[in-house]
Amino acid sequence: MKQRLLSICFLLLFPLMLIASGDMDIVFPHAFHIEDMGVECDQCHAGVNSSVSGLDNLLPEMAICTECHDGDSAGDDCGQCHRYINDPQESPRITAFLPKFTHVAHAGEVGCEQCHQGVSASMETSGHYLPTMALCMNCH
């Protein structure tokens, strides 16, 4: 019984562990897009300004990327966007966050970087930039 419970916990937490470890398939230098190109967070994270639940899926789909990048020009070179070119995957979705959290209540008050500290200078996709409860407690 204990082994089964541990297995279930692992399966439920594995996607979150991948996000937190930074071992994601998608290659995305936030620093280049935000600092060099001047892309605003909500251009890729569509729906962030109307999100009313911490469970809303705000990670970009490939269609968002192809609004600026020609998906056809990548051809067979999946390595431009994916680390694991033999089995390209989407990033795991965030499913273990507070459902009561609302971006709507925060977006007008604070900038993205206040809660997602360091993301604008990051060179990878990672869950390291998700706010912690301690960070929330700075204001609440």
Side-chain angles (χ1 to χ4, degrees):
M1 179 66 170
K2 187 176 181 181
Q3 179 67 26
R4 184 175 177 179
L5 182 61
L6 287 173
S7 297
I8 291 170
C9 288
F10 176 79
L11 289 174
L12 292 173
L13 295 175
F14 183 70
L16 189 59
M17 291 185 316
L18 278 178
I19 289 171
S21 73
D23 188 23
M24 297 175 124
D25 180 45
I26 304 297
V27 176
F28 186 85
H30 278 94
F32 171 76
H33 288 84
I34 296 170
E35 293 178 358
D36 297 343
M37 299 302 296
V39 175
E40 296 292 329
C41 300
D42 61 355
Q43 285 180 257
C44 297
H45 297 277
V48 70
N49 293 319
S50 59
S51 171
V52 294
S53 171
L55 300 178
D56 288 345
N57 180 4
L58 300 175
L59 296 177
E61 299 289 337
M62 188 172 165
I64 297 291
C65 303
T66 58
E67 286 180 11
C68 297
H69 300 280
D70 182 6
D72 295 331
S73 68
D76 294 328
D77 186 13
C78 298
Q80 286 183 337
C81 303
H82 295 275
R83 283 186 179 88
Y84 310 112
I85 59 174
N86 293 329
D87 187 23
Q89 301 288 317
E90 289 184 2
S91 293
R93 299 298 174 212
I94 299 167
T95 58
F97 212 70
L98 294 172
K100 291 174 66 174
F101 176 80
T102 169
H103 275 94
V104 170
H106 294 81
E109 301 294 319
V110 298
C112 301
E113 188 80 15
Q114 186 170 338
C115 298
H116 300 277
Q117 294 178 344
V119 72
S120 66
S122 71
M123 293 304 294
E124 84 282 344
T125 57
S126 169
H128 296 290
Y129 306 104
L130 292 174
T132 62
M133 183 58 75
L135 186 62
C136 298
M137 297 306 289
N138 287 338
C139 298
H140 299 280

